[in-house]
Amino acid sequence: MKKLTIGILAHVDAGKTTLSEGLLYQSGTLRKLGAVDKGTAYLDNDNLEKKRGITIFSHMARIQTENSELLLLDTPGHIDFAQEMEETLSVLDYAILVVSASEGVTAYTQTLWNLLKSHKIPTFIFVNKMDTLKADKEKVLHDLSTLDDNCVEFGDEDSDFYEKIATADEAILEEYLESGQIKDEEIKDLIFQREIFPVYFGAALKLKGVAEFLQGLDKWTKKIEYPEKFASRIFKISHDEKGERLTWLKVTGGELRAKSELMPDEKVNEIRLYNGTKYQVVPSTQAGEIVAVSGLKTTYPGQGIGFEKDQTNFTMQPVLTYAVQTAQDKTHATITALRQLEDENPQLHVKWDKQAEEISIDVMGKIQLEILQQILHDRFSLEVEFTQGKILYQESIKDSVEGVGHFEPLRHYAEVHLLLKPGKLGSGLVFKNECSLEVLPKKWQDQVMESLANKEHLGVLIGSPLTDVEITLVGGRGSNVHTVGGDFREATYRAVRQGLMELKAQNQVSLLEPWYQFTLRINQDQVGRAINDIEKMGGKFKIGESDHDIVTITGQAPVAQMQDYATEVRNYSHGSGQLECLFAGYQECKSSAEVIANANYDPVSDINNTPNSVFCSHGAGHTVVWDEVPSYAQYPYLRLIKID
């Protein structure tokens, strides 16, 4: 029997959880059909989800079919909780993309499609709400063709069906022309290889097409083969009702046993097999299974164990930061609670500014803030408020430079040389090692590379996170007598900052700001106002076709200018206009001079991220400022810095 992990993804209100409910009911897992709007959905079991009528957390259920056991992961559909959705992608064997027949392919549908494509996940499409007045099968199929030409309607497997399948692969087309047949296994392979994408139509609320879709999942999916060597991938951290920390993982090789040591000094206590809110404790589990384990303290979403590599460069990123206001005597309790929530969602980035005595968090949007406020009240009995958010800027570089850091107080010694080069837009930070073992022994090289990976590196314009930079270890020096643990860490951090300061002096450091991809639906007579607004924002736009006097405008604009525009749209459209915004990545900030001036950041005074080095002379350590470090360097300097 096949055991498959299948995730359900959709735009909010497309009917994703309703379809999950229908699949559970049709398979016999549920005796009574639940409803999202009544708060009785099997998978939306959290009180907040019942109250809001949306999925906030990913949930798992088990479906038994004739040939398969499906581990169904229902993921959040609202953009504010897209991070949790993205974290599940690394454990999926297949995905179900739910599309609303009344809305068609939205901007968020396209975003989900791009994520599934980048993760190479075979995808089934269920077009829901075919019972609505606006439902048009041919129009939806045309919309789906914009995602991929090989979105093929399944269900009625006639000659037209096989002809469409055959055109997806030259070898199969040739075989079909000769024999007039295509083997089921060949179709399964095409689906698994993302050469074709099965499309089913129905109305999940009325159970129309759900049984046929379930049969399709059973028939057209392949069994996954796993290696014998143990490995697993972590995709979620949660806490149960007793406060027990749970690590959710998929076993991707071998066997996992209770009491196994997965991390240094961290053993698995319990292995839980969940189905909704219920679970059973098992002594061991095999590859292909998804479990929640207790006893692990330092795991995180995206972490790979065994031969699995970490996934850290997530597409869905927060773009706003808010200050957290709480009673003075509750500050410590609030930080502690937020740290636990950050453990579950690392992109919350909880920060405590001692000087300002201010707590801040990073979020995707205001709905997430409302949910966090309620969680802090319900789980931790804390009352908090959030003050106006700031934009999360990033910094990058435009040219290459060699940065050098030296750390030599008395009885310590380390020098590190790093080559900083501009990376591709959206690539994040990439670390490489091109240092010879004759220059630095492996143990010291490892310390440098670990130090690079274990710190959030900040830029030197406003102190925002550094991104899209390739950092390569090219040289350095240690001492067999004086070098001790931590010396290379200190030298590494200083080398990064020293290089950035060199580039800043040459105006080769850039400030990046987040942009939204937006979809605006307004009445025909309000288009002129909208275009004028978008142009003032410095945005780009395209006007689509009108539908019953409703015009769709799509485009991109800076988050700083568009973050509060939804309120304006509601006001000038008297509630009829709709604005959907999605994070579209970072671009160079057009108002960087103003932002830098307002930030008033002094990179030299940032003692936790100093660009200066420490050298030793006459038996004592002394500070050498960043621009003088190259002349003091004791390992040959490559001198890639451009000198005017």
Side-chain angles (χ1 to χ4, degrees), residues 382-444:
L382 292 168
E383 301 293 339
V384 303
E385 297 290 337
F386 300 101
T387 57
Q388 181 61 40
K390 300 176 183 176
I391 302 300
L392 286 172
Y393 294 95
Q394 294 185 348
E395 298 181 35
S396 193
I397 62 175
K398 301 177 184 179
D399 203 352
S400 299
V401 70
E402 181 180 357
V404 59
H406 190 97
F407 187 69
E408 191 188 358
L410 191 62
R411 298 187 181 88
H412 293 264
Y413 187 91
E415 183 166 300
V416 172
H417 289 242
L418 301 172
L419 176 61
L420 279 62
K421 295 172 62 177
K424 293 181 180 178
L425 192 65
S427 63
L429 294 180
V430 177
F431 306 121
K432 296 183 177 181
N433 186 353
E434 294 180 2
C435 182
S436 168
L437 291 174
E438 295 178 1
V439 172
L440 281 179
K442 185 177 184 300
K443 64 176 182 178
W444 290 342

Coordinates of all heavy atoms in Angstrom, one line a residue, residues 382-444:
L382 N -1.8 37.3 28.6 CA -1.1 38.6 28.5 C -1.9 39.5 27.6 O -2.4 39.1 26.6 CB 0.3 38.3 27.9 CG 1.3 37.6 28.8 CD1 2.5 37.2 27.9 CD2 1.7 38.5 30.0
E383 N -2.0 40.8 28.0 CA -2.6 41.8 27.2 C -1.6 42.6 26.5 O -0.7 43.2 27.2 CB -3.5 42.7 28.1 CG -4.6 41.9 28.9 CD -5.7 41.3 28.0 OE1 -5.8 41.8 26.8 OE2 -6.4 40.4 28.4
V384 N -1.6 42.7 25.2 CA -0.6 43.5 24.5 C -1.3 44.4 23.4 O -2.4 44.1 23.0 CB 0.5 42.6 23.8 CG1 1.2 41.7 24.8 CG2 -0.1 41.8 22.7
E385 N -0.6 45.4 23.0 CA -1.0 46.2 21.9 C 0.2 46.4 21.0 O 1.3 46.2 21.4 CB -1.5 47.6 22.4 CG -2.7 47.6 23.3 CD -4.0 47.2 22.6 OE1 -4.0 47.4 21.3 OE2 -4.9 46.8 23.2
F386 N -0.1 46.7 19.7 CA 1.0 46.9 18.7 C 1.0 48.3 18.2 O -0.1 48.8 17.8 CB 0.9 45.9 17.6 CG 0.9 44.4 18.0 CD1 -0.3 43.7 18.2 CD2 2.1 43.8 18.3 CE1 -0.3 42.4 18.6 CE2 2.1 42.5 18.8 CZ 0.9 41.8 18.9
T387 N 2.1 48.9 18.1 CA 2.2 50.3 17.6 C 2.6 50.2 16.1 O 3.1 49.2 15.6 CB 3.2 51.2 18.3 OG1 4.5 50.5 18.3 CG2 2.7 51.3 19.8
Q388 N 2.3 51.3 15.4 CA 2.5 51.4 13.9 C 3.8 50.7 13.4 O 4.9 51.0 14.0 CB 2.5 52.9 13.5 CG 2.6 53.1 12.0 CD 1.5 52.5 11.2 OE1 0.4 52.5 11.6 NE2 1.8 51.8 10.1
G389 N 3.6 49.9 12.4 CA 4.7 49.1 11.9 C 5.7 49.9 11.1 O 5.3 51.0 10.5
K390 N 6.9 49.5 11.0 CA 7.9 50.0 10.2 C 8.3 49.0 9.1 O 8.0 47.8 9.2 CB 9.2 50.3 11.0 CG 9.0 51.3 12.1 CD 10.3 51.5 13.0 CE 10.1 52.4 14.1 NZ 11.3 52.5 15.0
I391 N 8.8 49.6 8.0 CA 9.2 48.7 6.9 C 10.5 48.0 7.2 O 11.4 48.5 7.8 CB 9.4 49.6 5.6 CG1 8.1 50.3 5.3 CG2 9.8 48.7 4.4 CD1 6.9 49.5 5.0
L392 N 10.5 46.7 6.8 CA 11.7 45.9 7.0 C 12.6 46.0 5.7 O 12.4 45.4 4.7 CB 11.4 44.4 7.2 CG 10.8 44.1 8.6 CD1 10.3 42.7 8.6 CD2 11.9 44.3 9.6
Y393 N 13.6 46.9 5.8 CA 14.5 47.1 4.7 C 15.6 46.0 4.8 O 15.8 45.4 5.8 CB 15.2 48.5 4.8 CG 14.2 49.6 4.6 CD1 13.6 50.2 5.7 CD2 13.8 50.0 3.3 CE1 12.7 51.3 5.5 CE2 12.9 51.1 3.1 CZ 12.3 51.7 4.2 OH 11.4 52.7 4.0
Q394 N 16.4 45.9 3.7 CA 17.5 45.0 3.6 C 18.6 45.8 2.9 O 18.4 46.8 2.3 CB 17.2 43.7 2.9 CG 16.3 42.8 3.6 CD 16.1 41.5 2.9 OE1 16.5 41.2 1.8 NE2 15.4 40.5 3.6
E395 N 19.9 45.3 3.0 CA 21.0 46.0 2.4 C 21.8 45.0 1.6 O 21.8 43.8 1.9 CB 21.9 46.6 3.4 CG 21.2 47.7 4.2 CD 22.1 48.4 5.3 OE1 23.3 48.5 5.0 OE2 21.6 48.7 6.4
S396 N 22.4 45.4 0.5 CA 23.2 44.6 -0.3 C 24.4 45.4 -0.8 O 24.6 46.5 -0.4 CB 22.4 44.0 -1.5 OG 23.2 43.0 -2.1
I397 N 25.2 44.8 -1.7 CA 26.4 45.5 -2.3 C 26.4 45.5 -3.8 O 25.7 44.7 -4.4 CB 27.7 44.8 -1.7 CG1 27.8 43.4 -2.2 CG2 27.7 44.9 -0.2 CD1 29.1 42.7 -1.8
K398 N 27.1 46.4 -4.4 CA 27.2 46.6 -5.8 C 28.5 46.2 -6.4 O 28.6 46.1 -7.6 CB 26.9 48.1 -6.2 CG 25.5 48.6 -5.7 CD 25.4 50.1 -6.1 CE 24.1 50.7 -5.5 NZ 24.0 52.1 -5.9
D399 N 29.5 46.0 -5.6 CA 30.8 45.7 -6.1 C 31.5 44.7 -5.2 O 31.0 44.4 -4.1 CB 31.7 47.0 -6.2 CG 32.8 46.9 -7.2 OD1 33.0 45.7 -7.7 OD2 33.5 47.9 -7.5
S400 N 32.6 44.1 -5.6 CA 33.4 43.2 -4.8 C 34.4 43.9 -3.9 O 34.9 45.0 -4.3 CB 34.1 42.2 -5.8 OG 33.2 41.5 -6.5
V401 N 34.8 43.2 -2.8 CA 35.7 43.8 -1.9 C 36.3 42.6 -1.1 O 35.7 41.6 -0.9 CB 35.1 44.8 -1.0 CG1 34.2 44.2 0.0 CG2 36.2 45.7 -0.3
E402 N 37.5 42.8 -0.6 CA 38.1 41.9 0.3 C 38.0 42.5 1.7 O 38.5 43.6 2.0 CB 39.6 41.6 0.0 CG 40.2 40.6 1.0 CD 41.7 40.4 0.7 OE1 42.2 40.9 -0.4 OE2 42.3 39.6 1.4
G403 N 37.3 41.8 2.6 CA 37.2 42.3 4.0 C 38.2 41.5 4.9 O 38.3 40.3 4.7
V404 N 38.8 42.2 5.8 CA 39.7 41.5 6.7 C 39.3 41.9 8.2 O 39.0 43.0 8.5 CB 41.2 41.9 6.4 CG1 41.4 43.4 6.5 CG2 42.1 41.2 7.3
G405 N 39.4 40.8 9.0 CA 39.1 41.0 10.4 C 40.3 40.4 11.2 O 40.7 39.3 10.9
H406 N 40.7 41.1 12.2 CA 41.8 40.6 13.1 C 41.4 40.7 14.5 O 40.9 41.7 15.0 CB 43.1 41.5 12.8 CG 44.3 40.9 13.4 ND1 45.2 40.2 12.7 CD2 44.8 41.0 14.6 CE1 46.2 39.8 13.4 NE2 46.0 40.3 14.7
F407 N 41.7 39.6 15.3 CA 41.3 39.6 16.7 C 42.5 39.1 17.5 O 42.8 37.9 17.5 CB 40.1 38.7 16.9 CG 39.6 38.8 18.3 CD1 38.9 39.9 18.8 CD2 39.7 37.7 19.2 CE1 38.5 40.0 20.1 CE2 39.2 37.8 20.5 CZ 38.6 38.9 20.9
E408 N 43.2 40.0 18.2 CA 44.4 39.7 18.9 C 44.6 40.4 20.2 O 45.6 41.1 20.4 CB 45.6 40.0 17.9 CG 46.9 39.4 18.4 CD 48.1 39.8 17.6 OE1 47.9 40.6 16.6 OE2 49.3 39.5 18.0
P409 N 43.6 40.3 21.1 CA 44.0 40.8 22.5 C 45.0 39.8 23.0 O 45.3 38.8 22.5 CB 42.6 40.7 23.2 CG 41.8 39.7 22.4 CD 42.3 39.7 21.0
L410 N 45.5 40.1 24.2 CA 46.6 39.3 24.8 C 46.2 37.8 24.9 O 45.1 37.5 25.4 CB 47.0 39.9 26.2 CG 48.3 39.3 26.8 CD1 49.5 39.6 25.9 CD2 48.4 39.9 28.2
R411 N 47.0 36.9 24.4 CA 46.8 35.5 24.4 C 45.7 35.0 23.5 O 45.1 33.9 23.8 CB 46.6 35.0 25.9 CG 47.8 35.2 26.8 CD 47.6 34.6 28.1 NE 48.8 34.9 29.0 CZ 48.8 35.9 29.8 NH1 47.9 36.8 29.8 NH2 49.9 36.1 30.6
H412 N 45.4 35.8 22.5 CA 44.4 35.4 21.5 C 45.0 35.7 20.1 O 45.8 36.6 20.0 CB 43.1 36.1 21.7 CG 42.3 35.7 22.9 ND1 41.4 34.7 23.0 CD2 42.5 36.2 24.2 CE1 40.9 34.6 24.2 NE2 41.6 35.5 25.0
Y413 N 44.5 35.0 19.1 CA 45.0 35.4 17.8 C 44.2 34.7 16.7 O 43.9 33.5 16.7 CB 46.5 34.9 17.5 CG 47.0 35.4 16.2 CD1 47.7 36.6 16.2 CD2 46.9 34.7 15.0 CE1 48.2 37.1 15.0 CE2 47.3 35.2 13.8 CZ 48.0 36.4 13.8 OH 48.5 36.9 12.6
A414 N 43.7 35.5 15.7 CA 43.0 35.0 14.5 C 42.9 36.2 13.5 O 42.6 37.3 13.9 CB 41.6 34.5 14.9
E415 N 43.1 35.9 12.3 CA 42.9 36.8 11.2 C 42.1 36.1 10.1 O 42.5 35.0 9.7 CB 44.2 37.4 10.7 CG 44.0 38.5 9.6 CD 45.3 39.3 9.3 OE1 45.8 39.9 10.2 OE2 45.7 39.2 8.1
V416 N 41.1 36.8 9.5 CA 40.3 36.2 8.5 C 40.2 37.2 7.3 O 40.0 38.4 7.5 CB 38.9 35.9 9.0 CG1 37.9 35.5 7.9 CG2 39.0 34.8 10.1
H417 N 40.3 36.6 6.1 CA 40.1 37.4 4.9 C 38.9 36.8 4.1 O 38.9 35.6 3.8 CB 41.4 37.4 4.0 CG 42.5 38.2 4.6 ND1 43.1 39.3 4.0 CD2 43.2 38.0 5.8 CE1 44.1 39.8 4.7 NE2 44.1 39.0 5.8
L418 N 38.0 37.7 3.8 CA 36.8 37.2 3.1 C 36.6 38.1 1.8 O 36.8 39.3 1.8 CB 35.5 37.4 4.0 CG 35.5 36.7 5.3 CD1 34.3 37.2 6.1 CD2 35.4 35.2 5.1
L419 N 36.2 37.4 0.8 CA 35.8 38.1 -0.5 C 34.3 38.2 -0.5 O 33.6 37.3 -0.5 CB 36.3 37.3 -1.7 CG 35.9 37.8 -3.1 CD1 36.5 39.2 -3.3 CD2 36.4 36.9 -4.2
L420 N 33.8 39.5 -0.6 CA 32.4 39.8 -0.7 C 32.1 40.2 -2.1 O 32.7 41.1 -2.7 CB 32.0 40.9 0.3 CG 31.8 40.6 1.8 CD1 33.1 40.1 2.4 CD2 31.3 41.9 2.5
K421 N 31.1 39.5 -2.7 CA 30.7 39.7 -4.1 C 29.2 39.9 -4.2 O 28.5 39.2 -3.4 CB 31.2 38.6 -5.0 CG 32.7 38.4 -5.1 CD 33.0 37.2 -5.9 CE 32.5 37.2 -7.3 NZ 32.9 36.0 -8.1
P422 N 28.7 40.8 -5.1 CA 27.2 40.9 -5.2 C 26.7 39.5 -5.7 O 27.2 38.9 -6.6 CB 27.1 42.0 -6.3 CG 28.4 42.7 -6.3 CD 29.4 41.7 -5.9
G423 N 25.5 39.1 -5.1 CA 24.8 37.9 -5.5 C 23.6 38.3 -6.4 O 23.3 39.4 -6.6
K424 N 23.0 37.2 -6.8 CA 21.8 37.4 -7.6 C 20.6 37.9 -6.7 O 20.6 37.6 -5.6 CB 21.3 36.1 -8.3 CG 22.3 35.6 -9.3 CD 21.8 34.3 -10.0 CE 22.8 33.8 -11.0 NZ 22.3 32.5 -11.6
L425 N 19.7 38.7 -7.3 CA 18.6 39.3 -6.6 C 17.8 38.1 -6.0 O 17.4 37.2 -6.8 CB 17.7 40.2 -7.5 CG 16.7 41.0 -6.8 CD1 17.3 42.1 -5.9 CD2 15.8 41.7 -7.8
G426 N 17.5 38.1 -4.7 CA 16.7 37.1 -4.1 C 17.5 35.9 -3.7 O 16.9 34.9 -3.2
S427 N 18.8 35.9 -3.8 CA 19.7 34.7 -3.5 C 20.0 34.6 -2.0 O 20.5 33.6 -1.6 CB 20.9 34.7 -4.3 OG 21.7 35.8 -4.0
G428 N 19.8 35.7 -1.3 CA 20.2 35.7 0.1 C 21.7 35.7 0.3 O 22.4 36.3 -0.5
L429 N 22.2 35.1 1.4 CA 23.6 35.1 1.7 C 24.1 33.7 1.3 O 23.5 32.7 1.7 CB 23.9 35.4 3.1 CG 23.6 36.8 3.6 CD1 24.0 36.9 5.1 CD2 24.3 37.8 2.8
V430 N 25.2 33.6 0.5 CA 25.8 32.4 0.1 C 27.2 32.4 0.6 O 28.0 33.3 0.4 CB 25.7 32.2 -1.5 CG1 26.4 31.0 -1.9 CG2 24.3 32.3 -2.0
F431 N 27.6 31.3 1.3 CA 28.9 31.2 1.9 C 29.7 30.1 1.1 O 29.2 29.0 0.9 CB 28.8 30.8 3.3 CG 27.9 31.8 4.1 CD1 26.8 31.3 4.8 CD2 28.2 33.1 4.2 CE1 26.0 32.2 5.5 CE2 27.4 34.0 4.9 CZ 26.3 33.5 5.5
K432 N 31.0 30.5 0.8 CA 31.8 29.5 0.1 C 33.2 29.5 0.7 O 33.6 30.4 1.5 CB 32.0 29.9 -1.4 CG 30.7 29.9 -2.2 CD 30.9 30.2 -3.7 CE 29.7 30.0 -4.5 NZ 29.9 30.4 -5.9
N433 N 34.0 28.5 0.4 CA 35.3 28.3 1.0 C 36.3 28.0 -0.1 O 36.2 27.0 -0.7 CB 35.3 27.2 2.1 CG 36.6 27.1 2.8 OD1 37.6 27.8 2.5 ND2 36.7 26.3 3.8
E434 N 37.2 28.9 -0.3 CA 38.2 28.7 -1.3 C 39.6 28.9 -0.7 O 40.6 29.2 -1.4 CB 38.1 29.7 -2.5 CG 36.8 29.4 -3.3 CD 36.6 30.4 -4.5 OE1 37.6 31.2 -4.7 OE2 35.6 30.3 -5.2
C435 N 39.7 28.5 0.6 CA 41.0 28.7 1.3 C 41.7 27.3 1.3 O 41.1 26.3 1.6 CB 40.7 29.2 2.7 SG 42.2 29.4 3.7
S436 N 43.0 27.4 1.1 CA 43.8 26.2 1.1 C 44.0 25.7 2.5 O 44.2 26.5 3.4 CB 45.2 26.4 0.4 OG 46.1 25.4 0.6
L437 N 44.1 24.3 2.7 CA 44.4 23.8 4.0 C 45.8 24.1 4.4 O 46.2 24.0 5.6 CB 44.2 22.2 4.0 CG 42.7 21.8 3.8 CD1 42.7 20.3 3.7 CD2 41.9 22.2 5.1
E438 N 46.7 24.5 3.4 CA 48.0 24.9 3.8 C 48.1 26.2 4.4 O 49.0 26.6 5.1 CB 48.9 24.9 2.5 CG 49.1 23.5 1.9 CD 49.9 23.6 0.6 OE1 50.3 24.7 0.2 OE2 50.1 22.5 0.0
V439 N 47.0 27.0 4.2 CA 46.9 28.4 4.8 C 46.3 28.3 6.2 O 46.8 28.8 7.1 CB 46.1 29.3 3.9 CG1 45.8 30.6 4.5 CG2 46.9 29.5 2.5
L440 N 45.1 27.6 6.2 CA 44.4 27.4 7.5 C 44.0 26.0 7.7 O 43.4 25.4 6.7 CB 43.1 28.3 7.5 CG 43.2 29.8 7.8 CD1 41.8 30.4 7.7 CD2 43.8 30.1 9.2
P441 N 44.3 25.4 8.8 CA 43.8 24.0 9.0 C 42.3 23.9 9.0 O 41.6 24.9 9.2 CB 44.4 23.7 10.4 CG 45.5 24.7 10.7 CD 45.1 25.9 9.9
K442 N 41.8 22.7 8.7 CA 40.4 22.5 8.6 C 39.6 23.0 9.8 O 38.5 23.5 9.6 CB 40.1 21.0 8.3 CG 38.6 20.7 8.0 CD 38.4 19.2 7.7 CE 37.0 19.0 7.3 NZ 36.0 19.3 8.3
K443 N 40.1 22.7 11.0 CA 39.3 23.1 12.2 C 39.1 24.6 12.3 O 38.0 25.0 12.7 CB 40.0 22.6 13.5 CG 41.4 23.2 13.7 CD 42.0 22.8 15.1 CE 43.3 23.4 15.3 NZ 43.9 23.0 16.6
W444 N 40.1 25.4 11.8 CA 39.9 26.8 11.8 C 39.0 27.3 10.7 O 38.2 28.2 10.8 CB 41.3 27.5 11.7 CG 42.1 27.4 13.0 CD1 41.6 27.0 14.2 CD2 43.5 27.6 13.1 NE1 42.6 27.0 15.1 CE2 43.8 27.3 14.5 CE3 44.5 27.9 12.3 CZ2 45.1 27.4 15.0 CZ3 45.8 28.0 12.7 CH2 46.1 27.8 14.1

